[in-house]
Amino acid sequence: MSRRDGVWKDECGVVGVWNHPQASRMAYLSLYAIQHRGQESAGIVTLEQGGHRIQKGLGLVAEVFDDTTLDQLKGRAGIGHVRYSTTGMNQMANAQPLQASLSNGPVAIAHNGNIVNANVIREELKAQGSIFQGTNDTECILHLIARHPSPNLVECLQQSLAKLQGAYSLTVLSHEALFAIRDPQGFRPLVIGKIPTAEGAAWVVASETCAFDLIGAQFVREVEPGEIWWVDAQGEHSVRIPRQAARSSCVFEHVYFARPDSIVFGQSVYESRKKAGRILAREFVKSGVADCDVVIPVPDSGVPAALGFAEEAKRPFELGIIRNHYIGRTFIQPHQAIRDFGVKIKLNPQSAVLSGRRVVVIDDSLVRGTTSKKIISLVRQAGAREVHLRIAAPPTIGPCYYGVDTPEKSQLIAATHSLEQIRDFVGADTLEFLSLNGLMEAVRGEKGGYCAACFDGRYPTPLFGLDEQPKGNVRGLE
Ligand code: SF4
């Protein structure tokens, strides 16, 4: 992947199913549960009699599949993918899973994350004669596997993946096995579950545990960073990718990206968000905000943190802004004009809750500041006497190169403005952010080891020139 080529790898979700009589429907439901991880394309590949069947398309999961297509996806195993793509990159060639017919059989692959040295590998492969169909970095993985001389797919995967740097959580389907693989730093989540069936246990894999809740699977464990796990007719197996690296799981999964009903990196996302709100209240309880009349969340992502804040500050929690749930997330709209319109039709402040009150507004994060500005304006229009904005994450000061599509640095308001300038821009009476230490306390799982580079600028890999390329004005995470 190279931003020089105008190529992006964005937020995605992956799933896998093994030994289930309704494999395509299990994959479909799992993708449905993780639709928040990507809304522009969806795909499923199943395995039937040693060959692959595929259906993928642009749009939401429910738009790409119907009863007929799911019936055609025969077989007891499958993988699936949902993808967000940027403006101009909304191409079928980039929709996943990707498939190839290799010397050791058919291989399909679904990828969540961003490989930071893909531009280097891609150029090397092109120089050696490889032809690329699309513009995503996942194709590099397929080419590396294809060129490896070993007839053993596990060995091909081990040696190929050791060349990659950055984020990859993969599901891979061969003609005889389902693989679940995480990069050695464990940037993106990936979990393994089991479904008891009349014919023995079925295995399932997904980006988030919320998929398991929907399909009635029991959580078994997360795929370990650097682990190649697979299941075949002989049972489950595991080997390591031969590359050592310190764990760097994405803290932003807990801040915003993952569903609150998921367990991510061994910890409840809901609990970590609520705890972030509690710590936020503790950090700033002396700032006078404890004297507020009401605590309201920016729905829906600010709700758990606002609950934690209100409990800790002992102030009433109210739904002061009502969200229209029948439009997509504001940030998935690719054009600024549509985003602006989206905020107005999406969020409606309640004057019954806000009029004459001193209001604390809690949001999960602040990226460009434009959405916060509109929300605060709406809250004031509804009659609020004071508006205090509290953010349950530190200021976002840098873009992500590992699969979350934050805007370029120049569009990150905290990268270019002081706290007072941001407060003035958004129009709040006061503004505070959760400290980095506070965030780390909120998400501290047993295993630790988080990437927080978009908050502290300490990127846990070399960037291979990606930081020298401007990121397009693709979207705001607000
Ligand atoms: S830079 Fe931010 S969004 Fe990207 S992996 Fe690190 S914490 Fe996550």
Side-chain angles (χ1 to χ4, degrees):
M1 197 276 318
S2 163
R3 293 208 171 84
R4 198 171 290 114
D5 297 338
V7 180
W8 295 79
K9 185 74 176 84
D10 307 304
E11 297 88 342
C12 298
V14 298
V15 302
V17 183
W18 181 261
N19 192 34
H20 196 286
Q22 297 283 325
S24 67
R25 280 180 167 74
M26 289 296 111
Y28 169 80
L29 289 169
S30 300
L31 290 178
Y32 206 90
I34 59 166
Q35 181 78 83
H36 61 288
R37 299 186 72 89
Q39 298 89 21
E40 289 206 5
S41 72
I44 294 174
V45 170
T46 56
L47 171 64
E48 194 208 11
Q49 296 180 346
H52 284 171
R53 292 181 173 234
I54 185 164
Q55 170 73 26
K56 58 183 178 179
L58 302 178
L60 298 172
V61 175
E63 297 164 344
V64 172
F65 303 99
D66 57 23
D67 267 337
T68 306
T69 52
L70 291 172
D71 284 343
Q72 288 165 350
L73 289 165
K74 296 185 191 309
R76 298 179 62 87
I79 60 170
H81 188 266
V82 286
R83 178 174 194 267
Y84 174 93
S85 74
T86 54
T87 309
M89 291 292 121
N90 188 357
Q91 302 169 355
M92 272 305 295
N94 285 330
Q96 295 193 26
L98 297 183
Q99 269 183 306
S101 186
L102 308 183
S103 57
N104 35 22
V107 172
I109 186 165
H111 174 199
N112 172 209
N114 184 38
I115 297 163
V116 289
N117 63 339
N119 50 346
V120 178
I121 291 172
R122 194 180 179 94
E123 291 311 313
E124 284 173 10
L125 288 167
K126 277 187 189 170
Q128 292 163 18
S130 294
I131 297 167
F132 286 79
Q133 303 288 321
T135 51
N136 68 54
D137 53 351
T138 312
E139 246 186 299
C140 288
I141 303 174
L142 270 181
H143 278 287
L144 286 171
I145 298 167
R147 297 180 76 88
H148 198 280
S150 172
N152 180 329
L153 182 59
V154 174
E155 205 174 297
C156 295
L157 285 165
Q158 275 184 301
Q159 301 305 322
S160 302
L161 296 174
K163 297 182 199 299
L164 305 180
Q165 295 231 30
Y168 54 90
S169 280
L170 308 172
T171 51
V172 177
L173 190 65
S174 73
H175 64 293
E176 56 188 5
L178 166 72
F179 293 82
I181 303 167
R182 253 174 111 199
D183 66 75
Q185 285 165 280
F187 280 100
R188 301 276 147 236
L190 192 62
V191 286
I192 303 168
K194 253 183 176 178
I195 307 174
T197 73
E199 303 150 53
W203 291 92
V204 286
V205 178
S207 292
E208 293 185 34
T209 59
C210 62
F212 295 169
D213 297 337
L214 181 59
I215 61 175
Q218 296 156 355
F219 171 77
V220 174
R221 65 177 177 90
E222 67 172 355
V223 179
E224 291 297 325
E227 180 181 9
I228 298 174
W229 174 91
W230 76 101
V231 58
D232 58 19
Q234 282 72 50
E236 56 170 331
H237 318 267
S238 174
V239 295
R240 308 292 303 177
I241 298 167
R243 193 171 76 76
Q244 297 291 319
R247 185 171 179 139
S248 304
S249 296
C250 171
V251 76
F252 200 72
E253 293 274 354
H254 273 281
V255 169
Y256 174 81
F257 198 43
R259 257 175 60 159
D261 50 343
S262 284
I263 309 291
V264 168
F265 312 135
Q267 188 168 334
S268 155
V269 174
Y270 179 81
E271 289 300 329
S272 62
R273 287 182 190 164
K274 202 169 168 190
K275 194 170 173 190
R278 284 186 174 282
I279 298 166
L280 189 61
R282 279 208 298 272
E283 284 184 353
F284 301 110
V285 77
K286 290 178 187 161
S287 68
V289 172
D291 291 333
C292 70
D293 297 316
V294 62
V295 177
I296 68 164
V298 174
D300 291 320
S301 50
V303 170
L307 278 167
F309 190 103
E311 277 181 17
E312 188 71 23
K314 298 188 172 46
R315 287 295 178 273
F317 169 93
E318 298 280 3
L319 295 176
I321 303 169
I322 302 301
R323 178 177 167 187
N324 179 344
H325 285 268
Y326 299 98
I327 56 171
R329 288 183 178 195
T330 313
F331 78 78
I332 69 170
Q333 308 294 345
H335 300 298
Q336 184 67 40
I338 299 174
R339 263 204 301 273
D340 291 349
F341 183 62
V343 173
K344 288 174 197 153
I345 63 169
K346 185 176 170 183
L347 302 174
N348 189 27
Q350 294 203 75
S351 52
V353 170
L354 302 170
S355 184
R357 299 274 183 82
R358 294 168 297 172
V359 179
V360 174
V361 179
I362 307 286
D363 207 351
D364 61 278
S365 57
L366 189 145
V367 180
R368 295 175 208 258
T370 48
T371 303
S372 300
K373 184 183 176 78
K374 287 170 196 148
I375 288 168
I376 286 168
S377 170
L378 291 173
V379 170
R380 285 201 193 282
Q381 285 167 27
R385 183 149 56 96
E386 295 173 16
V387 184
H388 304 276
L389 180 61
R390 293 295 180 268
I391 306 295
T396 307
I397 58 164
C400 176
Y401 301 103
Y402 309 113
V404 170
D405 203 2
T406 47
E408 65 175 300
K409 194 162 185 167
S410 65
Q411 294 180 50
L412 300 171
I413 192 169
T416 51
H417 293 68
S418 68
L419 182 66
E420 175 55 21
Q421 287 171 326
I422 301 169
R423 184 205 62 71
D424 188 51
F425 175 78
V426 300
D429 291 292
T430 68
L431 165 67
E432 298 287 355
F433 292 84
L434 182 65
S435 68
L436 189 57
N437 283 343
L439 176 60
M440 287 303 152
E441 185 185 336
V443 300
R444 190 171 296 136
E446 287 172 8
K447 294 170 185 165
Y450 280 96
C451 171
C454 50
F455 301 125
D456 66 9
R458 292 190 294 178
Y459 292 94
T461 67
L463 294 178
F464 299 92
L466 294 180
D467 49 336
E468 293 155 21
Q469 307 303 315
K471 289 190 72 164
N473 182 6
V474 290
R475 79 185 211 193
L477 281 161
E478 299 170 291

